[in-house]
Amino acid sequence: MTSFYITTPIYYVNSTPHIGHAYTTIAADILTRHHKQRGDETFFLTGTDEHGSKVYRVAEEQGLDPKTYVDQIAEAWRELPRLVDADYDFFIRTTDEGHKRFVQEFIQRIYDNGYIYRDVYSGLYCVGCEEFKAEAELVDGKCPIHGTVPERIEETNYFFKLSAFQQPLLELYDARPDFVLPRFRYNEARSFIEGGLQDFSLSRAGHPWGVPVPWDDSQVVYVWVDALINYVSALTYAREGEDLREKFWPEVRHLLAKDILRFHCVFWPALLLAAGYEVPKQLFVHGWLLLDDTKISKSVGNVIDPLDLVDVYGSDAVRFWAVRAVSFGQDGNVTLDSLHERYERELANDLGNLVSRTTAMIARYRDGRIPAITGDGGVSDVIEAVKREVPTRLDVFDVTGAVDVVWDLVRSLNKHVEQTKPWELAKDEARSADLDRVLYDLADGLRAAAVALSAYLPRTAPLILRALGQSEDLAWENVEPGRTVPVEGIEPAAPLFPRVDPQTAAA
Ligand code: MSP
């Protein structure tokens, strides 16, 4: 059995989730559900990043001790996947005892392997990024992402010999041209490595909030190192009495946005090599969702609460929009109008109406019985294309391209209705066999589309299969022409995507 382990970044709990976080979580869930359909053994990890200055300061501002603060807010973050129907296997919190213990073990190994030394550090620290910044990276003396002036910090702490990994990382990138996708992100990471790697400080002195450095408890582990290690630590304690590393490491795919590329594509593999672990199987770096050309972000304040969207349109529509709005991998500007427009055009009309029409015609012209038909109809090729193409595209994380292929099927079924005009066939007894054929093909195409779409539309897909009286077995092999069974009792289906008043939506 093939193992498929996927992760989202663990999100900072300095405030509540917005649609940008839901974006990565949705993509990870689509990929996981698809791999399940293929019979793979899957593990989907998400969670929260709870240490660091950023979180500590918010707790302070609210007059709470950090643990009380993170315990409260972690609940809002647990809601995020539930809200968008993301069926994760484990929700990690970096304040979990199991995680903290593992972080200590992990960095102790790096220390024992000789890749950690003590030195004085002086630099400019952006709390928003939780990262030291080089003067050259600043714009008008400010962090280009957060627009804030970084703080000067000088302290003695422990350094990680990242410089020792320049050569091994270049060899890794050369040996595995698909290590980072899309290709332009691979190039970006590789040229960063080629440009020379500097050691970085792996601990912070005198910080009350973090995982203590095992050999010097006056220091805590740097929040990014603490956070990255979650991808392995979770496997050691997610299932009591089981070490999931045996099954899932290094079969891991990390999803992340471009702002945290260096941490994931450069620092993380180096830390793993230093600790004696294998590097991840693959990393996929997606773009930013932009609202009016500005990144949706807590610091900028232009957030869209996923809760509001799900309330109005339902989780399937939000999932669908997330992957349709922007080609996965690219940056893209989104508007709420575009969500509304897509909901009506694609979900309500292309798909919803097709289900209503097909079931209504079967009810009306054939007394609710799907005709028994064999042999090749007009839609087999398009179903075959879905069966073949969707997995190929999803293997390279192309969640947008894969759903395009399924949409070709949905559109061609609509075209088929327009071209064959079943309502005219129904008037002519001599063409009864033609009508049987058309009704069967529509039902069969919709059934195959529902199975293929189930990773994207987990609520809607079973409704379509039920409306057609077909098996709800979502195994990928069912995306195959001719598997529709002739059943009776089909009734006109209720609308799958009811009208939403744009006024309500805007409010
Ligand atoms: N805590 C770190 C990650 C540590 S992982 C070991 C962090 N947290 S974050 O809360 O800032 O989340 C960043 C991630 O959220 C991005 O990498 C991306 O997955 C997602 N996104 C947040 N805003 C986004 C957009 N506007 N657009 C797309 N993805 C966005 O960084």
Side-chain angles (χ1 to χ4, degrees):
M1 199 186 248
T2 311
S3 298
F4 181 83
Y5 171 28
I6 193 155
T7 66
T8 69
I10 47 171
Y11 305 114
Y12 285 130
V13 294
N14 58 320
S15 101
T16 47
H18 61 65
I19 198 69
H21 306 110
Y23 186 63
T24 317
T25 301
I26 290 169
D29 186 62
I30 289 171
L31 290 162
T32 309
R33 286 181 190 264
H34 171 76
H35 277 271
K36 274 202 181 109
Q37 291 186 275
R38 280 155 70 173
D40 294 351
E41 187 165 17
T42 61
F43 195 77
F44 170 11
L45 179 71
T46 189
T48 44
D49 188 353
E50 303 189 359
H51 291 128
S53 310
K54 173 150 147 163
V55 172
Y56 183 75
R57 286 192 190 169
V58 176
E60 241 182 356
E61 280 162 21
Q62 300 196 4
L64 295 170
D65 77 275
K67 184 71 170 89
T68 312
Y69 169 77
V70 296
D71 283 350
Q72 277 174 11
I73 200 157
E75 288 314 305
W77 285 93
R78 265 189 214 279
E79 274 292 287
L80 172 71
R82 204 194 53 77
L83 207 65
V84 293
D85 284 316
D87 191 12
Y88 61 82
D89 291 285
F90 189 63
F91 190 96
I92 188 168
R93 296 181 54 191
T94 52
T95 50
D96 289 345
E97 289 307 318
H99 171 73
K100 293 194 278 183
R101 214 172 18 245
F102 187 83
V103 167
Q104 293 192 319
E105 264 173 52
F106 192 95
I107 72 155
Q108 183 71 50
R109 284 176 69 153
I110 302 182
Y111 188 74
D112 295 343
N113 291 342
Y115 295 112
I116 290 177
Y117 63 95
R118 209 172 127 94
D119 206 348
V120 178
Y121 195 84
S122 166
L124 294 166
Y125 194 78
C126 170
V127 173
C129 295
E130 293 281 14
E131 186 183 10
F132 281 104
K133 298 275 168 187
E135 301 268 3
E137 289 176 74
L138 305 178
V139 177
D140 296 331
K142 292 178 180 165
C143 162
I145 298 175
H146 293 92
T148 47
V149 178
E151 299 166 22
R152 175 149 303 274
I153 290 181
E154 183 170 318
E155 58 186 39
T156 300
N157 40 41
Y158 295 96
F159 276 69
F160 173 59
K161 278 192 202 164
L162 182 64
S163 53
F165 292 91
Q166 179 169 10
Q167 209 41 45
L169 286 177
L170 287 174
E171 281 162 21
L172 164 71
Y173 272 71
D174 289 344
R176 289 169 50 180
D178 60 354
F179 181 57
V180 174
L181 291 174
R183 185 66 185 185
F184 70 104
R185 296 293 176 205
Y186 167 97
N187 292 337
E188 187 180 329
R190 198 183 182 286
S191 40
F192 179 75
I193 301 166
E194 237 170 5
L197 297 179
Q198 290 184 359
D199 297 350
F200 69 87
S201 146
L202 171 144
S203 69
R204 299 295 310 277
H207 263 252
W209 186 235
V211 179
V213 170
W215 60 89
D216 177 354
D217 64 10
S218 72
Q219 305 240 348
V220 295
V221 177
Y222 171 40
V223 63
W224 261 105
V225 172
D226 168 356
L228 287 163
I229 295 172
N230 94 88
Y231 299 134
V232 188
S233 76
L235 298 179
T236 64
Y237 70 96
R239 298 284 176 267
E240 212 181 316
E242 250 187 287
D243 187 344
L244 297 172
R245 283 177 296 186
E246 289 157 20
K247 260 185 212 156
F248 294 114
W249 198 269
E251 288 304 313
V252 64
R253 280 86 169 166
H254 298 307
L255 291 189
L256 53 132
K258 63 181 188 179
D259 49 331
I260 53 178
L261 174 142
R262 283 183 201 172
F263 288 108
H264 281 82
C265 302
V266 183
F267 296 10
W268 177 226
L271 287 164
L272 284 162
L273 292 173
Y277 275 86
E278 286 186 68
V279 298
K281 171 118 179 158
Q282 232 166 14
L283 300 103
F284 186 88
V285 184
H286 64 72
W288 281 344
L289 282 185
L290 309 170
L291 196 61
D292 302 328
D293 290 322
T294 308
K295 185 193 172 205
I296 298 167
S297 113
K298 290 175 283 205
S299 354
V300 177
N302 59 345
V303 298
I304 307 175
D305 189 335
L307 187 70
D308 295 340
L309 286 185
V310 170
D311 269 357
V312 177
Y313 293 99
S315 56
D316 274 9
V318 172
R319 292 166 65 97
F320 187 72
W321 174 70
V323 297
R324 293 290 271 170
V326 176
S327 178
F328 198 53
Q330 308 294 321
D331 281 343
N333 230 336
V334 297
T335 61
L336 294 182
D337 286 349
S338 71
L339 168 60
H340 188 81
E341 191 268 329
R342 229 176 241 291
Y343 177 84
E344 293 205 323
R345 180 166 49 86
E346 297 193 317
L347 291 177
N349 292 340
D350 290 355
L351 182 61
N353 277 351
L354 183 63
V355 174
S356 306
R357 280 174 109 181
T358 303
T359 50
M361 291 191 292
I362 294 170
R364 182 152 169 213
Y365 305 140
R366 289 295 177 262
D367 284 333
R369 186 179 44 80
I370 296 180
I373 291 281
T374 50
D376 187 17
V379 298
S380 303
D381 287 353
V382 209
I383 298 178
E384 296 280 8
V386 170
K387 182 174 193 178
R388 205 179 43 242
E389 292 276 316
V390 169
T392 310
R393 298 200 184 199
L394 290 181
D395 281 348
V396 289
F397 305 85
D398 184 6
V399 287
T400 309
V403 79
D404 279 347
V405 176
V406 190
W407 228 253
D408 286 345
L409 168 59
V410 172
R411 288 210 189 97
S412 70
L413 294 173
N414 277 306
K415 216 177 280 162
H416 200 54
V417 177
E418 297 311 323
Q419 281 167 352
T420 56
K421 301 191 174 47
W423 49 93
E424 287 184 4
L425 297 178
K427 289 184 206 148
D428 183 354
E429 195 50 39
R431 304 188 66 190
S432 173
D434 292 344
L435 180 58
D436 279 352
R437 173 88 255 174
V438 171
L439 294 177
Y440 183 88
D441 285 344
L442 291 177
D444 200 37
L446 269 177
R447 180 197 54 78
V451 176
L453 283 171
S454 64
Y456 292 83
L457 306 174
R459 284 176 188 257
T460 308
L463 298 180
I464 300 176
L465 295 169
R466 237 169 276 160
L468 294 167
Q470 301 300 307
S471 156
E472 288 175 41
D473 178 356
L474 300 175
W476 191 254
E477 67 213 24
N478 290 329
V479 185
E480 169 81 26
R483 293 213 172 178
T484 297
V485 278
V487 291
E488 303 197 349
I490 305 301
E491 291 171 5
L496 291 174
F497 300 97
R499 292 261 167 252
V500 168
D501 177 5
Q503 300 300 325
T504 331

